[in-house]
């Protein structure tokens, strides 16, 4: 067998380069492209096909963190290779699950409620090949605007045939005039979105309590703290599971290493901290496949133990869908 040496390989390459005559550069310069293509990514879970739908992104300023020093957040962001600009950029992702006989959404993105860098959920849904009228059920993790915004357009229901499923604790809180008046100023307008959903969907809203089997194949998982009735959903299909946990732990560069770190958006930060600790311990112990709205897109992965804390292991890219 002929042996090819390193010298032969690089010597041949150098000779070829020296012999190559490059064409003259054209005078017209191509402009830099802007933005990404509509964000969607498919993955099988058992017999179900799960499509992650990217709504865009938001920037979380370092000053919004609680339970951790800002200097520590800055160090963690630097260690993750993030820009030194006083904030951490996170995606906003929802999930479309095709069970064959049923089309289910978990959350719906922000529409125009979170600024121009988000609100691309419906474009991503269309790019993935679906229309709102095809959706049978929508499972809401919680009623923050970046999770329910695209339920409405000009006050009307966007999904004409879908049943909405949401925790009763969550629904009652975000549709309460009393709670709205007591909320911090930055959150007062968020109640309007939930009240709009209540009006537009009316008798198509199903409220549940605890951890029921909400629809076939989906079990609610109480993950309270970030909001009063915040819920994850466990999809079970063909002997495989996926836990979609909403915002219970959402900023990968900070909260896996420091589960005690919360955000000013948490309605009950103390409960959220306890929930996050239990959730990460469970996910690491089970080796569970998980997904979360604000983890790096397409957000699928597993939690690993790392010393006394945790680390995020993104799922390998799946070529077979």
């Amino acid at each position: 067998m002929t042996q090819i040496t390193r010298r032969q390989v690089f010597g041949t390459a150098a000779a070829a380069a020296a012999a190559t005559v490059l064409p003259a550069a054209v005078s017209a310069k191509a402009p830099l492209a802007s933005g990404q293509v509509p964000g969607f990514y498919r993955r099988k879970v058992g017999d179900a096909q799960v499509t992650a739908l990217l709504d865009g992104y938001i920037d979380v300023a370092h000053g919004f963190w609680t339970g951790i020093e800002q200097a520590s957040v800055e160090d963690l962001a630097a260690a993750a290779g993030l820009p030194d600009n006083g904030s951490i950029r996170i995606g906003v992702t929802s999930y479309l699950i095709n069970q064959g006989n049923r089309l289910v959404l978990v959350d719906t993105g922000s529409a125009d409620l979170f600024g121009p860098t988000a609100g691309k959920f419906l474009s991503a849904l269309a790019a993935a090949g679906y229309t709102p009228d095809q959706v049978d059920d929508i499972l809401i993790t919680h009623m923050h605007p970046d999770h329910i915004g695209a339920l409405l357009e000009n006050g009307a229901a966007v999904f004409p045939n879908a049943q909405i499923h949401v925790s009763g604790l969550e629904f009652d809180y975000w549709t309460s005039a009393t709670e709205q008046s007591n909320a911090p100023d930055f959150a007062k307008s968020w109640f309007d979105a939930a009240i709009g959903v209540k009006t537009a969907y009316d008798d198509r809203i199903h409220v549940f309590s605890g951890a029921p089997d909400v629809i076939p194949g989906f079990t609610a998982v109480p993950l309270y703290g970030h909001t009063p009735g915040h819920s994850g959903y466990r999809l079970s299909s063909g002997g495989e599971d996926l836990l979609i946990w909403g915002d219970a732990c959402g900023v990968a560069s900070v909260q896996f290493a420091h589960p005690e770190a919360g955000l000013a958006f948490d309605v009950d930060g103390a409960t959220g901290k306890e929930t996050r600790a239990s959730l990460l311990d469970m996910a690491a112990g089970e080796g569970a496949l998980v997904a979360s709205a604000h983890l790096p897109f397409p957000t699928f992965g597993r939690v690993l133990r790392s010393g006394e804390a945790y680390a995020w292991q993104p799922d390998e890219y799946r070529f077979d869908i």
Side-chain angles (χ1 to χ4, degrees):
M1 181 180 293
T2 302
Q3 297 294 318
I4 300 175
T5 68
R6 177 181 175 87
R7 177 171 300 194
Q8 288 173 322
V9 170
F10 286 99
T12 302
T20 301
V21 178
L22 297 176
V26 293
S27 58
K29 294 182 178 179
L32 296 177
S34 61
Q36 302 283 12
V37 297
F40 69 91
Y41 171 82
R42 307 188 205 275
R43 189 198 195 282
K44 291 291 291 293
V45 175
D47 299 321
Q49 185 180 75
V50 182
T51 303
L53 300 167
L54 183 62
D55 186 60
Y57 66 86
I58 55 179
D59 291 324
V60 178
H62 294 338
F64 278 115
W65 287 97
T66 63
I68 186 172
E69 294 295 327
Q70 182 168 325
S72 296
V73 174
E74 293 169 355
D75 289 344
L76 290 164
L82 302 178
D84 180 16
N85 60 7
S87 66
I88 295 175
R89 180 161 292 177
I90 57 174
V92 179
T93 302
S94 301
Y95 306 90
L96 181 76
I97 299 93
N98 190 337
Q99 296 176 296
N101 61 352
R102 196 173 197 139
L103 204 59
V104 182
L105 275 172
V106 178
D107 293 339
T108 66
S110 64
D112 59 353
L113 301 179
F114 258 51
T117 62
K120 300 171 177 62
F121 167 80
L122 290 176
S123 297
L125 180 68
Y130 297 96
T131 55
D133 61 290
Q134 294 177 292
V135 176
D136 298 296
D137 297 273
I138 301 175
L139 311 181
I140 300 299
T141 61
H142 62 297
M143 300 191 83
H144 275 166
D146 54 324
H147 295 260
I148 65 169
L151 287 173
L152 301 175
E153 185 173 15
N154 297 323
V158 169
F159 297 87
N161 304 312
Q163 181 94 352
I164 310 297
H165 305 268
V166 61
S167 159
L169 289 173
E170 188 72 5
F171 185 76
D172 290 346
Y173 176 82
W174 289 104
T175 57
S176 166
T178 300
E179 296 293 354
Q180 184 176 27
S181 66
N182 293 332
D185 288 344
F186 70 80
K188 288 187 186 298
S189 64
W190 297 357
F191 288 77
D192 295 334
I195 293 168
V197 168
K198 178 181 179 180
T199 300
Y201 287 86
D202 193 22
D203 59 358
R204 288 195 284 134
I205 297 176
H206 164 234
V207 298
F208 60 83
S209 61
D213 294 333
V214 183
I215 57 175
F218 286 89
T219 303
V221 181
L223 297 172
Y224 305 153
H226 180 61
T227 59
H230 184 284
S231 300
Y233 296 95
R234 187 183 293 272
L235 164 66
S236 298
S237 176
E240 296 182 5
D241 287 357
L242 168 68
L243 174 60
I244 300 173
W245 72 33
D247 287 9
C249 180
V251 184
S253 56
V254 175
Q255 290 182 302
F256 289 101
H258 289 271
E260 73 278 9
L263 287 162
F265 314 127
D266 298 333
V267 176
D268 182 349
T271 298
K273 174 183 173 181
E274 294 175 2
T275 294
R276 191 159 41 254
S278 298
L279 176 65
L280 293 175
D281 182 67
M282 177 275 294
E286 290 185 5
L289 176 67
V290 304
S292 173
H294 302 305
L295 294 179
F297 188 78
T299 85
F300 300 103
R302 288 178 167 80
V303 180
L304 304 179
R305 298 193 189 278
S306 178
E308 296 183 356
Y310 304 91
W312 175 242
Q313 182 182 63
D315 192 43
E316 288 280 349
Y317 187 93
R318 298 297 170 117
F319 295 94
D320 182 7
I321 59 171

